[in-house]
Amino acid sequence: MKIHEYQARKILSDLGVPVPPAEVVRTPEEAAAAFSKFNSPMCVVKAQVYAGGRGKAGFVKLVKSPGEAMQAAHFMLTNRMTSYQTGPEGVPVSVLIVAPGVEIAKEYYLAITVDRARKTSTLIASAEGGVEIEEVAKHSPEKVFKIPLHPALGLQPFQATELAYKLGFTGKQTREASKIITGLVKAFFQTDASLAEINPLVVTKDGQMLALDAKFNFDDNALFRHPDIAAMADESQEKELDVRAHKASLNYIALDGTIGCLVNGAGLAMATMDIIKLHGAEPANFLDVGGGVTAEGAIEAFKIILSDEKVKGILVNIFGGIAKCDLIAEALVKAGREVGFKVPVVVRLEGTNVDKAREILQAAKAELPTLIPATDLTDAAKKVVAAVGKAA
């Protein structure tokens, strides 16, 4: 789960990390009023979206009057933002922040993320902030410092101080930087985050140190512990089908192909997509209904898949373990009756009570003529690819 910048700033501020003042606005008039409130010669208007590249896309603007703030806000609120992270369809903008301008002397980068190679969380820092850290790591890897964090002890005070020195801080600023680094680590662990980022951390010309921009991603599996964070979700920033799948406890990722995949288990999903490609077609999605397939879950899964106009056929690949095959077959038939299978639906079942399940599917063939049983995964892939080819 992601949140907006202004929400991330609040999390950091509550843990003692200094952030500049900002006003959250939702109309051009509110943006003009915010500019007047700050009584600053210059303010910045920033779109709040779940994507980077805002500046290059024109959705971060410096303004010098209430009128300019209103114009900038009107532009952002009436246009979708398109950047390298959004895809050509862009994302809507419904909330902005207005903040007084800051005279920046130096920018830094701080982040914590899950390092799956090291099997731990890792603190990442660089004195090259305000830019894409991927480019810095690619062209100047020696400028990026990484500190694996102990799973129980976290970041030790000496590590924070040592990192502050490596980033070039001296004297009083070393202590301030160490405090900010420690605060970011605390925020990461307390919120069960998968990413916590400050980019840039700035030193102003008068010596202040501020977290000018912040970003947090959270582990969805831990949100039950954080209802306050779960309540921050902005569904307008997510694709409609992704939101529907999440509410139904389905793991769904849209792809560009023509064959929808309905499976139980991530590994089985990967194998299903691979074998579709092996036989000359492209998967339209990754959809994992989990171990306990229910009629309700199957119905919603089919509705989601069939909402994608690109889908010309569906491959159902289910291994009956926790949920027995005959119960799964009954759920699929019920889903077919309710949803209506207007495209070929090839079903491969394996596991407990599979013979009984195949009898159920065979008995439903007259009622659901587009339902095609398969004997194994290869047979299923061949049948769905052939059926989609004929439909095309």
Side-chain angles (χ1 to χ4, degrees):
M1 176 188 147
K2 300 177 181 179
I3 59 173
H4 288 302
E5 173 192 354
Y6 73 91
Q7 297 164 322
R9 284 184 177 209
K10 177 68 165 54
I11 291 173
L12 291 176
S13 178
D14 289 345
L15 289 171
V17 176
V19 300
E23 193 81 9
V24 179
V25 303
R26 289 177 170 81
T27 67
E29 291 74 20
E30 289 179 359
F35 183 98
S36 301
K37 173 184 175 181
F38 286 122
N39 193 30
S40 172
M42 182 180 293
C43 284
V44 60
V45 181
K46 303 172 76 174
Q48 300 295 283
V49 293
Y50 289 174
R54 292 178 297 175
K56 293 179 181 178
F59 283 73
V60 175
K61 291 184 180 291
L62 293 174
V63 294
K64 298 180 180 179
S65 70
E68 287 187 7
M70 181 179 289
Q71 289 177 356
H74 180 267
F75 166 79
M76 295 180 194
L77 293 169
T78 56
N79 289 277
R80 295 177 72 89
M81 192 198 92
T82 304
S83 76
Y84 67 97
Q85 288 191 9
T86 67
E89 71 278 6
V91 291
V93 181
S94 59
V95 61
L96 317 168
I97 63 169
V98 178
V102 174
E103 289 190 290
I104 299 172
K106 175 65 177 171
E107 299 182 347
Y108 301 84
Y109 177 90
L110 286 177
I112 306 167
T113 189
V114 177
D115 187 337
R116 300 191 185 280
R118 292 178 180 268
K119 300 179 181 179
T120 186
S121 301
T122 296
L123 173 62
I124 304 170
S126 176
E128 302 292 323
V131 296
E132 296 169 14
I133 193 65
E134 296 86 355
E135 292 300 311
V136 178
K138 181 179 178 180
H139 299 292
S140 304
E142 73 282 357
K143 295 181 180 180
V144 179
F145 305 106
K146 298 181 181 180
I147 301 175
L149 301 177
H150 191 281
L153 301 177
L155 183 74
Q156 296 299 293
F158 79 88
Q159 290 177 301
T161 302
E162 186 179 73
L163 179 59
Y165 279 124
K166 287 183 177 179
L167 293 172
F169 293 107
T170 57
K172 179 183 176 183
Q173 286 189 342
T174 303
R175 293 191 296 275
E176 292 177 358
S178 299
K179 183 179 177 181
I180 291 172
I181 293 167
T182 302
L184 182 64
V185 173
K186 187 179 294 185
F188 178 85
F189 285 113
Q190 284 189 2
T191 61
D192 286 308
S194 56
L195 171 69
E197 179 182 83
I198 299 174
N199 187 28
L201 170 68
V202 303
V203 176
T204 65
K205 290 186 177 179
D206 60 2
Q208 276 189 297
M209 202 172 294
L210 298 169
L212 204 59
D213 195 352
K215 178 179 180 180
F216 276 80
N217 293 350
F218 303 99
D219 183 349
D220 291 342
N221 295 314
L223 286 177
F224 72 94
R225 292 199 290 243
H226 307 282
D228 54 332
I229 292 174
M232 296 180 185
D234 182 356
E235 291 183 357
S236 72
Q237 293 295 301
E238 306 287 354
K239 295 179 180 178
E240 180 186 354
L241 295 183
D242 292 348
V243 173
R244 284 178 57 183
H246 180 72
K247 289 181 176 179
S249 299
L250 303 173
N251 295 312
Y252 173 82
I253 299 173
L255 301 172
D256 297 324
T258 58
I259 297 178
C261 305
L262 192 158
V263 306
N264 64 333
L268 199 59
M270 298 300 291
T272 303
M273 293 190 294
D274 285 347
I275 201 163
I276 287 172
K277 292 176 71 72
L278 178 65
H279 289 282
E282 292 292 330
N285 68 274
F286 170 111
L287 196 152
D288 173 14
V289 297
V293 185
T294 63
E296 293 73 21
I299 289 168
E300 183 62 13
F302 277 115
K303 286 181 178 179
I304 290 171
I305 292 174
L306 293 171
S307 295
D308 185 347
E309 295 180 356
K310 298 192 303 293
V311 172
K312 305 302 179 185
I314 300 174
L315 174 52
V316 179
N317 186 18
I318 300 290
F319 181 82
I322 299 173
K324 296 179 176 63
C325 286
D326 56 329
L327 298 179
I328 295 167
E330 289 172 355
L332 294 176
V333 171
K334 184 177 179 180
R337 288 170 180 158
E338 181 167 331
V339 177
F341 294 152
K342 297 179 182 179
V343 299
V345 178
V346 178
V347 181
R348 178 261 185 173
L349 295 176
E350 196 57 74
T352 308
N353 293 353
V354 68
D355 292 332
K356 186 176 179 181
R358 288 170 180 164
E359 292 174 5
I360 293 171
L361 295 178
Q362 192 62 40
K365 192 75 173 68
E367 184 182 359
L368 301 171
T370 61
L371 190 65
I372 306 171
T375 56
D376 56 39
L377 185 51
T378 299
D379 181 48
K382 288 180 178 179
K383 283 181 175 177
V384 74
V385 171
V388 168
K390 289 177 182 179

